[in-house]
Amino acid sequence: MTTHQLFQPFELKSLKLKNRIVMAPMTRSFSTGGVPTLQVADYYARRAQGEVGLIISEGAVVNRPSSSYDPDIPHFYGEKALHGWKEVIDKVHATGGVMAPQLWHVGVVAPGASGWLPPAPFEGPSGYVAAGKTGGVAMTENHIAETIRAFAQAAADAKALGFDAVEIHGAHGYLIDQFFWQPTNQRTNGYGGQTLVKRARFAAELIRAVRNLVGPDFPISLRVSQWKLQDHSAKLAATPQEMEAWLVPLADAGVDIFHCSQRRFWEPEFDGSDLNLAGWAKKLTGKATITVGSIGLSGDFLAAFQGEHSIPCRLDELMRRFDRGDFDLVAVGRPLLADSEWTRKIREGRTSELVGFSKNTLATLS
Ligand SMILES: Cc1cc2nc3c(=O)[nH]c(=O)nc-3n(C[C@H](O)[C@H](O)[C@H](O)COP(=O)(O)O)c2cc1C
């Protein structure tokens, strides 16, 4: 098996990557009071030094009173936090890296382990965390408009600070995904409805607003997933036709890259084909895609959160799909969290030096 194909450059609009390896967005909660520290900047710079092609930041929340459930998740608004992000991108660039922030709003969620609550109730399309389970308020049309503006402003700030692209977090059962998903979107006023296309209106308007502020040449990635933290077996699109009807309007609104989150990248999305979510997204939209989910590690990340130890494993199946052209980029989470040198080790074939992942790796920002 060879992996040199992953080390071909990639270009999309103003984005120029030296290889196809992406650091997956991973919340670390080391940004006290929402402000990324110098330690956070060093953590990302070490991954750039370790040859990661594109770093996507941990989810950074936009300027809404209840966009976060943890005070140490970084903000992507306010003078202090943006100054912290400036340090991050300058350090990453100084070590030859390329980086996009992931912009996030958690929507209606259960409070975090600490019990901390934001200054306003959690907000979402209908106030539901999951089917029939309330946990916040239904957004008014004004709230929706303000939220769209907050995402667009954060994206414009990312560009102004010097970031190379932006990712919008539309996955995993958080705000944007709560609009996509019928059990959490029971609206009847135009941002909801019986079809996924109707429930995608919020995301489409948000992407269009981001595109208007960042201009035509700045790459926008949208992270999507079928699965939700609230329901691992959820499926937004049951068929390729539904998936096409969902994603094509988002591509038309301005998405350049679909970051297709699965827990296990090798799982086929629909019967009758072995294509995964990223494979289908690329086939149906013609846009660039990123695959992710247990690449190079045994066990998926939610099992790892429960305490399961993951060990390094081979990349043959990944390379089979990559060589077939199923996706353009390959995102790696836990391996890069555990080892900033993962990319270099793969390039140099130093597989015996790869390390596993266990939950205690999360305790420090190394
Ligand atoms: C500690 C941790 C934090 C995460 N935080 C985020 C996040 O902020 N945004 C997001 O989209 N995904 C998040 N994820 C999911 C990862 O981006 C990735 O999809 C997942 O870990 C699967 O990749 P892996 O198997 O290579 O770890 C997180 C995962 C981990 C392990």
Side-chain angles (χ1 to χ4, degrees):
M1 178 199 65
T2 60
T3 53
H4 70 267
Q5 307 91 304
L6 294 176
F7 293 89
Q8 294 161 5
F10 175 79
E11 276 198 40
L12 197 162
K13 296 186 169 175
S14 58
L15 189 68
K16 292 183 177 46
L17 307 181
K18 59 174 168 274
N19 62 46
R20 307 306 180 96
I21 308 290
V22 176
M23 179 176 180
M26 283 177 290
T27 294
R28 301 306 313 274
S29 298
F30 282 92
S31 297
T32 311
V35 178
T37 60
L38 285 179
Q39 287 73 24
V40 171
D42 288 338
Y43 161 81
Y44 286 117
R46 273 193 293 281
R47 273 72 194 169
Q49 196 126 41
E51 301 186 4
V52 173
L54 171 65
I55 296 169
I56 301 179
S57 79
E58 61 204 287
V61 293
V62 299
N63 191 6
R64 290 288 297 158
S66 62
S67 56
S68 183
Y69 57 69
D70 173 340
D72 299 335
I73 284 175
H75 298 170
F76 212 89
Y77 62 90
E79 204 179 319
K80 280 191 190 150
L82 292 181
H83 179 76
W85 283 115
K86 178 76 183 144
E87 298 279 336
V88 172
I89 189 58
D90 286 352
K91 280 202 171 180
V92 165
H93 281 163
T95 43
V98 173
M99 185 166 184
Q102 186 189 53
L103 304 179
W104 188 22
H105 182 315
V106 298
V108 181
V109 289
S114 70
W116 180 88
L117 286 172
F122 290 118
E123 60 181 4
S126 306
Y128 293 116
V129 180
K133 194 176 159 213
T134 51
V137 297
M139 294 164 82
T140 63
E141 297 220 357
N142 264 349
H143 294 154
I144 289 179
E146 283 165 14
T147 303
I148 288 174
R149 272 199 295 277
F151 271 94
Q153 185 57 50
D157 288 338
K159 186 180 178 194
L161 291 175
F163 282 91
D164 304 281
V166 77
E167 175 162 290
I168 307 297
H169 193 345
H172 304 172
Y174 295 111
L175 181 69
I176 294 173
D177 205 16
Q178 289 176 3
F179 274 89
F180 289 145
W181 196 35
Q182 193 158 30
T184 46
N185 185 349
Q186 301 285 318
R187 298 180 79 95
T188 51
N189 68 343
Y191 287 95
Q194 288 306 308
T195 61
L196 183 50
V197 186
K198 288 190 171 155
R199 297 191 302 272
R201 176 179 159 198
F202 173 66
E205 286 187 8
L206 191 153
I207 296 291
R208 207 164 273 120
V210 168
R211 175 58 74 209
N212 278 343
L213 284 202
V214 299
D217 207 36
F218 192 70
I220 301 173
S221 168
L222 176 67
R223 198 170 217 216
V224 291
S225 67
Q226 298 261 38
W227 69 273
K228 323 285 159 225
L229 284 161
Q230 301 92 318
D231 179 355
H232 298 174
S233 60
K235 274 211 182 261
L236 294 175
T239 61
Q241 292 71 27
E242 282 179 18
M243 187 166 168
E244 185 172 13
W246 170 35
L247 297 187
V248 167
L250 299 174
D252 292 345
V255 172
D256 298 301
I257 303 173
F258 286 101
H259 186 172
C260 299
S261 171
Q262 289 181 268
R263 286 175 298 140
R264 295 170 286 263
F265 77 90
W266 58 87
E267 290 183 347
E269 201 47 61
F270 304 113
D271 289 343
S273 158
D274 73 347
L275 282 181
N276 72 2
L277 190 66
W280 277 107
K282 189 169 170 68
K283 184 182 161 96
L284 296 172
T285 67
K287 294 293 176 183
T289 59
I290 309 177
T291 195
V292 66
S294 305
I295 291 166
L297 272 189
S298 67
D300 72 57
F301 84 106
L302 293 179
F305 284 165
Q306 303 301 318
E308 188 181 289
H309 181 75
S310 320
I311 54 168
C313 60
R314 295 175 60 89
L315 299 180
D316 305 60
E317 177 60 11
L318 178 78
M319 295 315 299
R320 184 183 76 83
R321 289 166 183 266
F322 182 82
D323 289 344
R324 203 168 62 174
D326 289 8
F327 33 77
D328 304 270
L329 300 167
V330 165
V332 174
R334 289 162 297 148
L336 276 167
L337 195 155
D339 182 3
S340 61
E341 290 290 299
W342 187 86
T343 311
R344 194 195 313 278
K345 287 179 185 175
I346 295 294
R347 185 175 62 75
E348 294 177 351
R350 289 153 55 198
T351 47
S352 65
E353 295 174 42
L354 297 173
V355 300
F357 177 89
S358 54
K359 206 177 151 189
N360 58 17
T361 315
L362 297 173
T364 56
L365 199 61
S366 56

